[in-house]
Amino acid sequence: MSTPTNVTDSASSPRCNALLGAGRKAAVIIASTSAARGEAADTTGPILVEWLRGRGYETPEAIVVRDGEPVGQALRELLVDTPEADRPRFIVTSGGTGLAPDDRTPEFTAELLERQSPGLIYAMWRKGLESTSSAVMSRGVAGVRGRSFVINFPGSKGGVKDGITVIDDLLEHIQTSVEDTTDHGPRV
């Protein structure tokens, strides 16, 4: 699967606006004990970083941490310890969403969110079910803290690619909603 990175159609199309994230920061956190120890390669971080950079976000290399509490620490550093003006606008985690005892990414994420958006996770499950029944085992969450949007992707390459397919179509609307720059028109 490739994500669009070139402007070839109407600039109003969110899938064609390659610079959607221009002037904004993004971050990727990988929850993988084996990758953090150097025993396995991080296979999802590069995919996510490339996607976000392709959309115009200033995205450093993925932060790779052990499953469990280190995920919570990485999220707190980005969402609490970093001054609000410097926080990433988009944070994607990959891994730690399953049923193993140290798969705690959703719990650490949920405790930091002000509002959740479960429909996005539902859409990712639905997309994943096209390929594998195990997609519904992912317990990820998505939501907002301040002007930052956070979403948990599964730790598999297939789950990440499915997540990108779903979220890429919604990225512009997510961003303008979180930044409160949408024109909703008169409210009745």
Side-chain angles (χ1 to χ4, degrees):
M1 185 209 86
S2 65
T3 54
T5 57
N6 295 320
V7 178
T8 56
D9 295 333
S10 166
S12 65
S13 171
R15 290 190 59 87
C16 298
N17 185 355
L19 300 179
L20 176 65
R24 295 169 179 87
K25 297 176 185 176
V28 174
I29 300 172
I30 303 302
S32 171
T33 298
S34 60
R37 288 183 183 153
E39 299 167 354
D42 165 22
T43 60
T44 60
I47 296 168
L48 290 165
V49 168
E50 179 183 347
W51 168 55
L52 292 166
R53 286 178 180 168
R55 306 310 271 139
Y57 290 92
E58 179 185 324
T59 312
E61 294 301 316
I63 301 164
V64 180
V65 296
R66 292 183 341 268
D67 286 291
E69 174 55 35
V71 177
Q73 182 178 351
L75 284 166
R76 284 189 296 278
E77 286 175 13
L78 292 172
L79 291 169
V80 178
D81 299 342
T82 301
E84 190 167 355
D86 296 329
R87 291 179 189 158
R89 293 297 177 91
F90 202 80
I91 299 172
V92 181
T93 71
S94 174
T97 63
L99 300 175
D102 61 352
D103 285 343
R104 303 283 319 274
T105 300
E107 287 79 11
F108 290 116
T109 304
E111 72 183 25
L112 294 169
L113 296 178
E114 295 166 344
R115 294 179 315 282
Q116 289 193 28
S117 185
L120 296 171
I121 300 300
Y122 173 80
M124 287 173 37
W125 287 337
R126 191 169 171 195
K127 177 66 178 165
L129 282 171
E130 293 174 9
S131 307
T132 177
S133 62
S134 65
V136 295
M137 292 179 66
S138 179
R139 301 177 307 106
V141 296
V144 176
R145 180 181 180 104
R147 292 174 55 170
S148 296
F149 174 78
V150 185
I151 189 162
N152 303 148
F153 281 20
S156 69
K157 285 173 61 175
V160 164
K161 290 177 180 181
D162 288 343
I164 288 171
T165 298
V166 170
I167 300 305
D168 195 61
D169 283 337
L170 302 169
L171 192 55
E172 181 175 31
H173 189 69
I174 291 168
Q175 181 175 288
T176 57
S177 295
V178 171
E179 293 177 353
D180 198 22
T181 56
T182 59
D183 180 13
H184 295 288
R187 304 220 173 157
V188 181

